[in-house]
Amino acid sequence: MSERAFFDTNILLYMYDRRDPVKQERALSVFRSCVDSRSLVISTQVVQEFYVAVTKKLAVSGDAARELVADLCDLEVIGIETTHILRATRLEQRYRLSFWDALIVSAAESAQASILYTEDHSNGQKIGRIQVRNPLIPHS
């Protein structure tokens, strides 16, 4: 198995956002690669945020969004627990993250991921033992 990779919501959304075909293809490519290598992991927070954003921002119908969520739930999904929340409060302060971003990092750590695919932080940034990668920029 290759390095475990945690996906933030925004990368998943780009897979369905036809307004930027280049970013859409980059998101799809890294997603497929991680699914094929069985290295992809997400959290219940990501699934929840995805459902809200895909229906509100991308105007995907409720029925179609439920199917997409069901597909995501077939992946490895880390359930957010109280330990994640408490760890996120420490990460938020130490790395000056939003609480929600710190919760993503906390879940990624608990999944033993070494990569966080997101566009929310600087490409190559280290947050603890997690390295941020932005697959939407060339040569990331």
Side-chain angles (χ1 to χ4, degrees), residues 54-112:
V54 82
T55 55
K56 302 295 183 209
K57 291 181 180 178
L58 299 183
V60 172
S61 74
D63 289 340
R66 281 187 286 283
E67 288 181 31
L68 295 174
V69 165
D71 289 343
L72 289 176
C73 289
D74 285 338
L75 301 170
E76 183 175 352
V77 180
I78 300 296
I80 297 298
E81 299 179 7
T82 56
T83 55
H84 297 110
I85 296 166
L86 294 172
R87 173 78 175 136
T89 62
R90 290 188 294 278
L91 291 167
E92 172 189 28
Q93 185 174 26
R94 180 173 181 190
Y95 294 101
R96 300 182 196 275
L97 303 171
S98 75
F99 173 76
W100 302 112
D101 287 347
L103 193 55
I104 292 287
V105 172
S106 177
E109 286 180 341
S110 74
Q112 299 179 331

Side-chain angles (χ1 to χ4, degrees), residues 7-11 14 45 49 57 96-98 100-102 104-105 116-123 125 127 132-136:
F7 275 62
D8 196 357
T9 311
N10 52 36
I11 303 304
Y14 276 111
Q45 174 192 354
E49 289 175 352
K57 291 181 180 178
R96 300 182 196 275
L97 303 171
S98 75
W100 302 112
D101 287 347
I104 292 287
V105 172
L116 170 59
Y117 285 112
T118 185
E119 68 172 353
D120 287 345
H121 305 286
S122 299
N123 190 48
Q125 178 182 355
I127 304 172
V132 172
R133 291 194 190 157
N134 183 344
L136 305 178

